[in-house]
Amino acid sequence: MLSRRNFLTAAVGVAAAGGLAACAKKDESSSGSSSAGSKTITLGFSQVGAESGWRSANTTSVKDAAKKAGYNLKFSDAQQKQENQISAIRSYIAQKVDVIAFSPVVVTGWDAVLKEAKTAKIPVVLTDRSVETSDDSLYVTLVGSDFTDEGRRAAKMLATVVQKAGLKGTVKIAQLEGTTGAAPAIERAKGFKEVMDAEHAGDWKIVVSQTGDFTRAGGKQVMAAFLQSNPDINVLFAHNDDMAIGAIQSIEAAGKKPGKDILIVSIDGVKDGFVAMSEGKINGIVECNPLLGPQLMEVVKKVHDGQPVERWIKTKEGDFLQDQAKAALPTRQY
């Protein structure tokens, strides 16, 4: 598996990325001119779907940034289905777009279509999520977050939350996982467990874990089942805010107080998550910035022009505890 921690700025990767982008640029005109201003950049972008507030904000950011950059954006919503994304990418290849970008639904199963893009000399940029591939040259770069580190940060945040709450005895954790096979679900769980095993092996235990598919409805339904099978849960770790917000409904329906009877740590930092945190219902949030549009458009321009780019372009993020929620809430624009 090509994990994010191995995304280094390798000279070979940069050379391959630059070469692929240069090939695509060269084919734009019979004269072989390298002038980027001679043609409007056409970008084919395939989005995962609209499963959460984070994803909706990400889509808006991409569309707004493409418009501001003056690009011809061809947008596709995969509705959380890999087959829809593969179909969209093949459509972009047939349309001979200049650059393809997509946020993959899951990490595996992309080699065939990415090879088709490479054969067509169309560079591919990943956004938000990574993929597993047999050939690193099948895509140029990843613009997104370090999900494994987000999981680690969530675990460290939970340690602070537990201490502040004065929770005694075994920390019994319910984990709401993201979409099965998706990079953030895999890597956030990995990072969280890494810290848990290293620093809290004797007093923390994940007693139940299941996917809520990154949706509020999923979080609500799965949390209701968790409370039936494990009524002594005292902590919830949700892979995103939307699942945490859905879970809060089930916690309250069960007569418990979210943020007190069950401590909650989640990841994303969407406005609704901060509202819940300001109400005392979520104890801490690890930010995952969805506003990738401007960074993506800068990368698309460089790739289109044949300029070298880093193998992994990371976003900047922060961590927020409950007592910071009200002050931070006005800054949440998504």
Side-chain angles (χ1 to χ4, degrees), residues 30-81:
S30 58
S31 63
S33 170
S34 60
S35 172
S38 62
K39 180 177 179 290
T40 299
I41 295 174
T42 297
L43 170 65
F45 181 80
S46 176
Q47 180 61 283
V48 172
E51 78 283 358
S52 63
W54 191 101
R55 189 63 55 190
S56 297
N58 180 243
T59 292
T60 298
S61 178
V62 170
K63 288 182 175 180
D64 288 350
K67 183 178 180 180
K68 185 176 180 179
Y71 297 170
N72 176 24
L73 178 66
K74 295 182 180 295
F75 180 87
S76 173
D77 182 338
Q79 299 179 329
Q80 292 184 278
K81 295 181 180 179

Side-chain angles (χ1 to χ4, degrees), residues 20 25 30 35 63 88 91 136 163 173 181 184 199 217-219 226 232 303 307-308 312 332:
L20 180 56
K25 179 66 184 145
S30 58
S35 172
K63 288 182 175 180
S91 174
D136 289 358
Q163 183 180 29
I173 304 168
E199 301 178 14
F226 284 173
D232 57 347
V303 169
Q307 298 178 29
W312 182 11
R332 299 293 100 179

Side-chain angles (χ1 to χ4, degrees), residues 45-46 85 89 100-104 110 114 124-127 129 131:
F45 181 80
S46 176
Q85 279 198 308
I89 293 170
I100 292 172
F102 75 109
S103 180
W110 302 104
L114 293 181
V124 175
V125 175
L126 303 180
T127 70
R129 300 178 176 184
V131 300

Side-chain angles (χ1 to χ4, degrees), residues 101-125:
F102 75 109
S103 180
V105 176
V106 293
V107 296
T108 59
W110 302 104
D111 276 27
V113 72
L114 293 181
K115 286 177 181 176
E116 292 170 26
K118 183 177 180 179
T119 299
K121 296 184 172 63
I122 301 175
V124 175
V125 175

